[in-house]
Amino acid sequence: ILDLLECNYVVEERMVLEAQSTSNKRHFYGLNDIVIDKGSSSRVISIETHVDNDYLNTYTADGIIINTPTGSTAYSLATGGPIVVPRAQVITINPIAPHTLTARPVIVPDTCVIRVIVNADWKKVHLTADGQEDRWYKTPAEFIIKRAPYTVKLIKRLKGSFYDTLRKKLLWGRDI
């Protein structure tokens, strides 16, 4: 609290993602990520992915994580995604447990619009925003994910940097 009273802080703006199903007008917002997955099913789903109007890939996987730099050190990192510096203006597309070794995370500019089409004729697909708000959709289902029209402002102490925190939390440079 003393740092706040003495103005020993900076205000950082962080990107938010917006997701919408093309079948309804409900919007989901995530500071960290938008996750589209198969839920509790033991079967994989087919996830056709487009960036702007270009076809990227069809992942056969348990799901896909679309995340902001803020969310890169959460679920996405745990599934093999890259660590992205918070001030980077990018979005990461990361398949969850893909069923091919060549499926890799892709980083795109935050100006891109990502379209995801899930084909699983026999079941529903699950969409979650920041692990909080969620909904099930009948397949085939189509989603549009893009940068939200607003940001979130976070107060950060001047003591320590993103890299200091990263080294500490990941035990980099320590003999474990």
Side-chain angles (χ1 to χ4, degrees):
I1 294 179
L2 192 55
D3 283 340
L4 287 174
L5 295 173
E6 294 177 356
C7 296
N8 290 327
Y9 64 88
V10 294
V11 177
E12 290 184 2
E13 288 195 50
R14 300 287 180 95
M15 172 195 337
V16 174
L17 292 175
E18 174 183 6
Q20 181 181 11
S21 166
T22 58
S23 67
N24 65 31
K25 299 299 179 197
R26 184 171 180 186
H27 292 259
F28 295 84
Y29 297 93
L31 173 64
N32 294 305
D33 54 41
I34 302 294
V35 176
I36 300 167
D37 65 35
K38 64 187 182 87
S40 61
S41 173
S42 61
R43 295 198 171 180
V44 295
I45 54 177
S46 174
I47 307 162
E48 183 180 321
T49 309
H50 300 258
V51 177
D52 290 331
N53 292 319
D54 291 322
Y55 170 70
L56 173 64
N57 190 15
T58 298
Y59 297 104
T60 300
D62 289 351
I64 193 166
I65 304 168
I66 312 295
N67 65 271
T68 66
T70 302
S72 74
T73 55
Y75 188 20
S76 182
L77 178 63
T79 60
I83 296 171
V84 181
V85 176
R87 68 177 175 266
Q89 296 179 342
V90 297
I91 297 170
T92 303
I93 302 168
N94 188 15
I96 303 168
H99 287 249
T100 176
L101 293 175
T102 60
R104 293 285 171 236
V106 176
I107 299 173
V108 300
D110 68 352
T111 55
C112 292
V113 175
I114 300 161
R115 184 165 54 107
V116 174
I117 302 166
V118 180
N119 295 302
D121 301 330
W122 47 273
K123 61 183 170 188
K124 294 182 177 184
V125 67
H126 185 231
L127 182 141
T128 309
D130 280 349
Q132 301 296 313
E133 190 176 6
D134 70 333
R135 183 166 176 159
W136 288 91
Y137 289 90
K138 285 180 141 183
T139 59
E142 183 174 338
F143 306 96
I144 304 296
I145 299 105
K146 62 185 179 181
R147 182 182 183 136
Y150 65 89
T151 59
V152 170
K153 294 182 181 187
L154 300 178
I155 295 175
K156 301 293 289 183
R157 290 180 172 173
L158 291 176
K159 299 175 186 171
S161 69
F162 171 75
Y163 304 107
D164 293 332
T165 303
L166 200 58
R167 278 192 312 276
K168 185 187 302 180
K169 288 191 176 191
L170 295 179
L171 303 175
W172 286 352
R174 294 203 178 162
D175 184 9
I176 53 173

